[in-house]
Amino acid sequence: MAPQLQNFYQTVDSLAEPFIDRLRKAVAIPSISAEEERRPDVIKMGHWLKEQLEGLGAHMEARELGPQPHKEHLTLPPAIIGRYPAQKDPSKRTILVYGHYDVQPANLSDGWATEPFELSVDDKGRMYGRGSTDDKGPVLGWLNVIESHKKAGIEFPVNLLMCFEGMEEYGSEGLDDFIIAECKPGKFFEDADAVCISDNYWLGTEKPCLTYGLRGCSYYSIEISGPGQDLHSGVFGGTAQEPMTDLVRVLGSLVDTDGNIQIEGIKELVAPLTKEEESLYTNIAFNMDNLYESLGSKTGIFPDKERTLMGRWRYPSLSLHGVEGAFSAPGAKTVIPAKVTGKFSIRTVPNMEPEDVDKLVYAHVDKVFKSLKSKNKINCYLQHAGKWWVASPKHWNFTAAAKAVEDVWHTKPDLTREGGSIPVTLTFEQATGKNVLLLPMGSSTDAAHSINEKLDRRNYIEGIKLLGAYLHYVAEEPMEG
Amino acid sequence: MAPQLQNFYQTVDSLAEPFIDRLRKAVAIPSISAEEERRPDVIKMGHWLKEQLEGLGAHMEARELGPQPHKEHLTLPPAIIGRYPAQKDPSKRTILVYGHYDVQPANLSDGWATEPFELSVDDKGRMYGRGSTDDKGPVLGWLNVIESHKKAGIEFPVNLLMCFEGMEEYGSEGLDDFIIAECKPGKFFEDADAVCISDNYWLGTEKPCLTYGLRGCSYYSIEISGPGQDLHSGVFGGTAQEPMTDLVRVLGSLVDTDGNIQIEGIKELVAPLTKEEESLYTNIAFNMDNLYESLGSKTGIFPDKERTLMGRWRYPSLSLHGVEGAFSAPGAKTVIPAKVTGKFSIRTVPNMEPEDVDKLVYAHVDKVFKSLKSKNKINCYLQHAGKWWVASPKHWNFTAAAKAVEDVWHTKPDLTREGGSIPVTLTFEQATGKNVLLLPMGSSTDAAHSINEKLDRRNYIEGIKLLGAYLHYVAEEPMEG
């Protein structure tokens, strides 16, 4: 039986201005996790959030995460965790939601059209401000859902567990261990039945989506060294083997212009494309102009949207990021660098096991370097690896969300993956053993991490309705599956 | 008839301590041309030099060179020019000598064992101090030659023209135009019969050399651009053609590990090796351990000294210097750079005309890039070019210097070239139309431009004798040739 949500929706509409005002107050706290001097603002933001939720009747805790690794003089902002209603109702499902209350750096002088820490709403309802879409809007979405239920006198449909962190834009320092610990028996998150994360974006601007996959990332360095120190190319050019000559040849062997990875065995690790999966891409609300607009050029690899989406979501890619140790400034310098380190990463997909990828990378680099017959030394190593994540979109967590989208937006959501990583997703999946859903609020034009970040008023208000509807549909889903 | 120089040599020996004291005073003035705040010291050094020479009876002028290009608030240090004896003797040859009175930067904290601007003489006679060998020692050599002649009552054998600059370590700003102007009829340097520059080094530590050739340098940039801005490799990897992928492939096509330039047509521009020239390399005082010591490794291209010296002096080389616009810091950043610029240079030799080299480079880069079938844009251009220089070592300027070496050092000098450039050499040759000799004072271990720069007492004192003897032998050389 479909839940009756008209009363809830009307209440959200009637509270739109207070909800925008709540976002304005949140944006005004410059909770920049990457800037040391803003750390007090990040902590202030965490406590503001806790107080707001306590005001709504939630049970809240601020959990200290200790000193910041490698910057021991800094205290990590607390994980703000909570439960609503404060007392668990064992007859209802329990949904764990995650968001972050820290933001990227922002200065007016970077090119913002308005003060980044003053929410500025234009006549088209675009609400500009740092953190508006990433991730204060979505986090406040959950608060507004609670408040709307209280004001409308509607019984809350689930037990809500909350986990809000303040270091997401700086590598989520300290969070993984905390999540793993709190998901264990007897701990705060132990009874989560599913997880919902609202910290990504629609593929375009018109159609909502549910995200069920992320690529992983294995990041490598290739270090080549020879001379004892940097050399003058006039004196040594033509007499010494140069590490940079070797490096560009090794880097040039990894991938071609059209993105085909040249490392033997990589393609064989990729899960084959099934007919069923292939058919999914055709209906996704995306076109090549969307790509060209975001690229700022027409230098795409594929001429069609299907292969472009598969290139982003379900196939691996290899990007060369740069070279450390060589001359990188403007102008001309006649140096022969003594030691150069090339950096590249591979975006991984099912069924690529990171360890298998490592082995193939090392074997390839070794083979190419040996073919150069160089006297220089090479060292290829992994800097870090994060695994890909794919959830089942047939799980009740997703079917509930899809029904909520239809009810609020009157359209079926696209089922999408993302090319990048959100490492906390995999952590929640592994720590809870439960299904994780990515349920975005903002759209592709929101410019998270850029100047003039914004959240559309429509996406905020309808997004609040969507988060609430999702919880009601979750409550209605059959218990099996 | 060989000149009788015993009296001159004995006088130099008797004045050794005052000459070292003169060097001490010069080193104490930190005339660093690259540091704005040291500019007054550079100018002070120029005037100190002028006053010293005036004290010896020379006619001296400090010629202003105007404001520094691109740094108009800075005044260039003057060119200190002079003539000794003050009145020209038309019956004698006129020799134009060049040196520089500015020095490289130096700080004790860079790793110097002694204060860089206090001359420190150890028990092996190594005189440490910034500028000791580059180029204050050689410049003061000419002063000491004049003083020794005066003290010994020996008639000066030639008319000496002097040109000492204060910006050599910062690109000789303003000097080229000045030299060209002053070599014109009626101007200060018009009557030079030959040029002698003492601003380079022996190939080793035991055997003096005369240098008759320098390689040129053509420095190129290859700029490849595609996206409108840097991209996130998670979102765009696998969907966009990446400029960095194209760049490493183009750079990798230019040269191989053993230094073979892969650009079609370059080898054909190089003057063929004659039997006569080939035989010259065998007797040069140089061995592979010298190379390995200066490289700090055994990563040389050739196993023998002959091919190593030819690789440095008489064949072109191509070095890859680095990449601008890519990620170059330590750590990991998952960026797809939107625009990357590869930098490389070719050391040129006879008979490579710079314009011909440009054409071959552009054609090669164009061909390789076209083969990639990339949608990115490429732009390859020359940053700067300096031509190679080769003088005739059979000219009287060289034969006189060779006889002087034999008289002072009791050995025939090596006839050497250098792999790097000293652009002022070509300027003097072209402006005077006369033979230019490079007559070094210091040895290969002097560490010019490095920490713990030094000049051996023996090289300084015997070097003063050598400069004086050279002028006497110049006076004796037959007028033809």
Side-chain angles (χ1 to χ4, degrees):
Chain A
M1 183 188 72
Q4 295 306 307
L5 298 170
Q6 292 318 308
N7 186 9
F8 167 64
Y9 294 160
Q10 282 163 10
T11 309
V12 172
D13 282 329
S14 71
L15 291 170
E17 288 312 314
F19 289 165
I20 291 169
D21 197 54
R22 178 174 273 150
L23 182 59
R24 180 173 287 113
K25 288 190 179 106
V27 166
I29 303 172
S31 52
I32 304 167
S33 48
E35 295 178 356
E36 287 196 17
E37 66 277 20
R38 294 297 195 181
R39 186 57 51 88
D41 290 308
V42 184
I43 293 169
K44 179 180 167 188
M45 180 68 206
H47 286 284
W48 180 88
L49 195 60
K50 177 170 177 276
E51 284 155 22
Q52 290 274 313
L53 279 155
E54 283 169 345
L56 293 168
H59 165 79
M60 301 302 298
E61 298 180 19
R63 292 290 193 84
E64 293 305 327
L65 299 175
Q68 182 166 333
H70 312 296
K71 293 193 172 182
E72 307 287 333
H73 62 290
L74 283 178
T75 301
L76 287 170
I80 302 297
I81 62 174
R83 171 184 285 282
Y84 184 86
Q87 288 299 321
K88 177 177 176 173
D89 179 343
S91 71
K92 291 174 182 167
R93 279 198 166 112
T94 299
I95 300 297
L96 169 56
V97 302
Y98 161 90
H100 64 90
Y101 61 82
D102 63 320
V103 297
Q104 283 277 318
N107 288 296
L108 190 60
S109 60
D110 297 338
W112 282 73
T114 58
E115 281 291 344
F117 295 103
E118 290 176 16
L119 194 76
S120 170
V121 188
D122 74 7
D123 53 7
K124 289 183 175 159
R126 291 178 295 209
M127 308 189 293
Y128 292 96
R130 177 54 90 218
S132 53
T133 195
D134 181 18
D135 190 34
K136 290 180 175 176
V139 165
L140 297 189
W142 298 113
L143 274 69
N144 299 336
V145 165
I146 295 172
E147 184 169 353
S148 300
H149 278 78
K150 287 171 67 95
K151 289 268 165 71
I154 305 167
E155 186 184 345
F156 209 73
V158 301
N159 298 296
L160 195 69
L161 285 172
M162 290 166 275
C163 178
F164 301 127
E165 69 155 321
M167 285 297 280
E168 198 273 346
E169 305 292 5
Y170 202 76
S172 290
E173 297 273 20
L175 194 73
D176 267 17
D177 290 346
F178 175 78
I179 291 171
I180 291 163
E182 293 300 327
C183 286
K184 293 208 164 129
K187 294 294 189 165
F188 206 88
F189 301 146
E190 69 161 334
D191 52 354
D193 295 309
V195 181
C196 178
I197 297 174
S198 188
D199 188 23
N200 66 321
Y201 308 92
W202 296 358
L203 194 57
T205 56
E206 288 306 315
K207 200 171 173 194
C209 65
L210 309 179
T211 305
Y212 67 99
L214 299 167
R215 292 197 291 188
C217 182
S218 293
Y219 200 110
Y220 301 93
S221 287
I222 299 177
E223 186 182 292
I224 300 185
S225 59
Q229 67 290 323
D230 285 0
L231 303 172
H232 188 290
S233 68
V235 182
F236 292 97
T239 71
Q241 295 189 334
E242 305 184 13
M244 189 68 181
T245 300
D246 294 344
L247 181 65
V248 296
R249 293 196 151 212
V250 176
L251 292 178
S253 76
L254 295 170
V255 62
D256 73 11
T257 294
D258 284 329
N260 297 302
I261 299 175
Q262 311 284 297
I263 300 168
E264 206 175 324
I266 290 283
K267 278 177 193 162
E268 287 71 11
L269 298 180
V270 179
L273 181 70
T274 62
K275 284 276 166 203
E276 186 194 353
E277 187 197 333
E278 195 173 2
S279 67
L280 293 177
Y281 296 96
T282 313
N283 293 324
I284 303 283
F286 183 80
N287 61 51
M288 292 310 289
D289 286 335
N290 298 148
L291 178 73
Y292 299 148
E293 192 184 342
S294 55
L295 273 182
S297 70
K298 292 206 163 184
T299 56
I301 292 176
F302 304 106
D304 58 284
K305 85 168 184 190
E306 288 80 4
R307 278 188 291 174
T308 297
L309 289 175
M310 286 191 263
R312 178 180 299 185
W313 294 346
R314 70 101 57 221
Y315 283 116
S317 63
L318 191 154
S319 295
L320 305 175
H321 306 300
V323 178
E324 180 185 345
F327 174 56
S328 61
K333 188 177 175 189
T334 55
V335 66
I336 297 174
K339 179 172 138 182
V340 285
T341 306
K343 316 271 180 87
F344 70 97
S345 67
I346 299 178
R347 296 285 165 173
T348 55
V349 297
N351 300 319
M352 300 167 76
E353 291 298 326
E355 301 74 30
D356 295 341
V357 175
D358 295 351
K359 276 181 209 152
L360 294 173
V361 165
Y362 300 153
H364 173 89
V365 167
D366 193 51
K367 184 178 150 194
V368 173
F369 186 70
K370 279 213 175 84
S371 77
L372 301 180
K373 301 196 194 314
S374 175
K375 294 168 191 158
N376 292 317
K377 289 201 192 94
I378 191 165
N379 181 19
C380 178
Y381 56 92
L382 181 76
Q383 281 211 42
H384 61 71
K387 208 180 164 184
W388 44 266
W389 164 79
V390 179
S392 166
K394 295 181 178 167
H395 187 275
W396 56 256
N397 198 24
F398 278 83
T399 52
K403 288 173 188 167
V405 168
E406 273 205 80
D407 203 40
V408 172
W409 289 100
H410 314 296
T411 183
K412 280 187 197 304
D414 280 338
L415 279 169
T416 66
R417 299 198 201 176
E418 295 229 351
S421 332
I422 308 177
V424 76
T425 311
L426 196 64
T427 305
F428 275 116
E429 182 184 87
Q430 292 174 339
T432 63
K434 300 293 163 67
N435 183 280
V436 180
L437 159 73
L438 302 187
L439 181 57
M441 175 181 274
S443 83
S444 67
T445 56
D446 282 359
H449 293 212
S450 293
I451 57 169
N452 302 321
E453 177 184 344
K454 59 94 178 163
L455 175 63
D456 291 336
R457 180 191 164 109
R458 186 178 74 143
N459 279 58
Y460 184 51
I461 301 302
E462 302 306 302
I464 296 163
K465 294 178 190 171
L466 175 63
L467 296 180
Y470 156 70
L471 297 179
H472 282 274
Y473 280 98
V474 157
E476 300 286 322
E477 285 292 306
M479 272 300 175
E480 65 275 10
Chain B
M1 183 185 75
Q4 295 305 308
L5 298 169
Q6 292 317 309
N7 185 10
F8 167 63
Y9 294 160
Q10 283 164 10
T11 309
V12 172
D13 282 330
S14 70
L15 293 169
E17 288 312 314
F19 290 164
I20 291 168
D21 198 53
R22 177 173 274 149
L23 182 59
R24 181 174 286 112
K25 288 190 179 104
V27 166
I29 304 172
S31 52
I32 304 167
S33 49
E35 295 178 356
E36 288 194 18
E37 65 277 19
R38 293 298 196 182
R39 186 57 50 89
D41 290 309
V42 184
I43 293 169
K44 180 180 167 189
M45 180 68 206
H47 287 284
W48 179 88
L49 195 58
K50 179 170 175 276
E51 285 154 22
Q52 290 274 312
L53 280 156
E54 283 169 342
L56 295 168
H59 165 80
M60 299 303 296
E61 299 180 17
R63 293 289 194 86
E64 294 303 328
L65 298 175
Q68 182 166 331
H70 312 298
K71 293 192 172 182
E72 307 288 333
H73 62 289
L74 283 178
T75 301
L76 288 169
I80 304 296
I81 62 174
R83 172 183 284 283
Y84 184 85
Q87 288 299 320
K88 176 175 179 175
D89 179 343
S91 70
K92 291 175 181 164
R93 278 196 165 112
T94 299
I95 300 297
L96 170 55
V97 303
Y98 161 90
H100 64 91
Y101 61 81
D102 64 317
V103 298
Q104 282 277 321
N107 289 295
L108 189 61
S109 60
D110 297 338
W112 283 73
T114 58
E115 281 289 343
F117 295 103
E118 291 175 16
L119 194 75
S120 171
V121 188
D122 73 7
D123 54 5
K124 289 184 176 159
R126 291 177 295 207
M127 307 188 293
Y128 292 95
R130 176 57 89 217
S132 54
T133 195
D134 181 19
D135 188 33
K136 291 179 174 176
V139 165
L140 298 188
W142 299 112
L143 276 68
N144 299 337
V145 165
I146 295 172
E147 183 168 355
S148 300
H149 279 77
K150 285 172 67 96
K151 289 269 164 71
I154 306 168
E155 185 183 346
F156 209 73
V158 300
N159 298 297
L160 195 70
L161 285 173
M162 290 166 274
C163 178
F164 300 127
E165 70 154 319
M167 285 297 281
E168 199 273 346
E169 304 293 5
Y170 202 75
S172 291
E173 296 272 21
L175 194 72
D176 269 16
D177 290 346
F178 175 77
I179 291 171
I180 291 163
E182 293 300 327
C183 287
K184 294 211 164 127
K187 294 294 192 165
F188 205 88
F189 301 146
E190 69 161 334
D191 53 353
D193 294 310
V195 181
C196 178
I197 298 175
S198 188
D199 187 24
N200 66 319
Y201 308 92
W202 297 356
L203 194 57
T205 56
E206 289 307 315
K207 200 170 173 196
C209 65
L210 309 179
T211 305
Y212 68 98
L214 298 167
R215 292 197 291 188
C217 183
S218 293
Y219 199 110
Y220 300 93
S221 286
I222 299 177
E223 185 183 295
I224 301 186
S225 60
Q229 66 289 322
D230 284 0
L231 304 172
H232 187 290
S233 68
V235 181
F236 292 97
T239 71
Q241 295 189 335
E242 305 185 13
M244 188 69 181
T245 300
D246 294 344
L247 182 65
V248 296
R249 294 198 150 209
V250 176
L251 293 177
S253 77
L254 296 170
V255 63
D256 73 12
T257 292
D258 283 330
N260 297 301
I261 299 176
Q262 312 283 298
I263 300 168
E264 206 175 326
I266 289 282
K267 278 179 194 162
E268 287 72 12
L269 298 181
V270 178
L273 181 69
T274 64
K275 284 276 167 205
E276 188 194 353
E277 188 198 330
E278 196 173 1
S279 67
L280 293 176
Y281 296 96
T282 312
N283 294 321
I284 303 284
F286 182 81
N287 61 49
M288 294 308 290
D289 285 336
N290 297 148
L291 178 74
Y292 299 147
E293 192 184 340
S294 55
L295 271 183
S297 68
K298 293 206 165 187
T299 56
I301 293 175
F302 305 107
D304 57 285
K305 84 167 182 190
E306 288 81 4
R307 279 187 291 174
T308 297
L309 289 175
M310 286 191 263
R312 178 178 298 184
W313 295 348
R314 68 99 57 220
Y315 283 116
S317 63
L318 191 155
S319 295
L320 306 175
H321 306 300
V323 178
E324 179 185 345
F327 175 56
S328 61
K333 187 178 173 188
T334 54
V335 66
I336 298 174
K339 179 171 136 183
V340 286
T341 306
K343 316 272 180 87
F344 70 98
S345 66
I346 299 178
R347 296 284 165 175
T348 55
V349 296
N351 301 316
M352 300 167 76
E353 292 298 326
E355 301 73 30
D356 295 340
V357 175
D358 295 350
K359 277 181 208 152
L360 294 173
V361 166
Y362 300 152
H364 173 89
V365 168
D366 193 52
K367 185 178 149 194
V368 173
F369 185 69
K370 278 212 175 85
S371 78
L372 300 180
K373 302 194 194 312
S374 174
K375 294 168 191 158
N376 292 317
K377 288 202 193 93
I378 191 165
N379 180 20
C380 179
Y381 55 93
L382 180 76
Q383 280 210 45
H384 61 69
K387 209 181 164 183
W388 45 267
W389 163 79
V390 178
S392 167
K394 294 181 179 168
H395 187 275
W396 57 257
N397 198 26
F398 278 82
T399 52
K403 289 172 187 169
V405 167
E406 273 207 78
D407 203 41
V408 172
W409 290 99
H410 314 295
T411 183
K412 281 188 197 302
D414 280 338
L415 279 170
T416 65
R417 299 197 201 176
E418 295 229 351
S421 334
I422 309 178
V424 77
T425 312
L426 196 64
T427 305
F428 275 116
E429 181 184 88
Q430 292 175 338
T432 63
K434 300 295 164 64
N435 182 280
V436 180
L437 159 73
L438 302 187
L439 181 58
M441 175 181 274
S443 83
S444 67
T445 56
D446 283 359
H449 292 212
S450 292
I451 56 169
N452 302 320
E453 177 183 344
K454 60 92 178 162
L455 175 64
D456 290 338
R457 179 193 166 107
R458 186 177 74 143
N459 280 58
Y460 184 50
I461 301 303
E462 301 306 303
I464 296 164
K465 295 177 190 172
L466 176 63
L467 296 180
Y470 156 70
L471 298 179
H472 282 275
Y473 279 98
V474 157
E476 299 287 322
E477 286 292 305
M479 272 302 175
E480 65 274 7

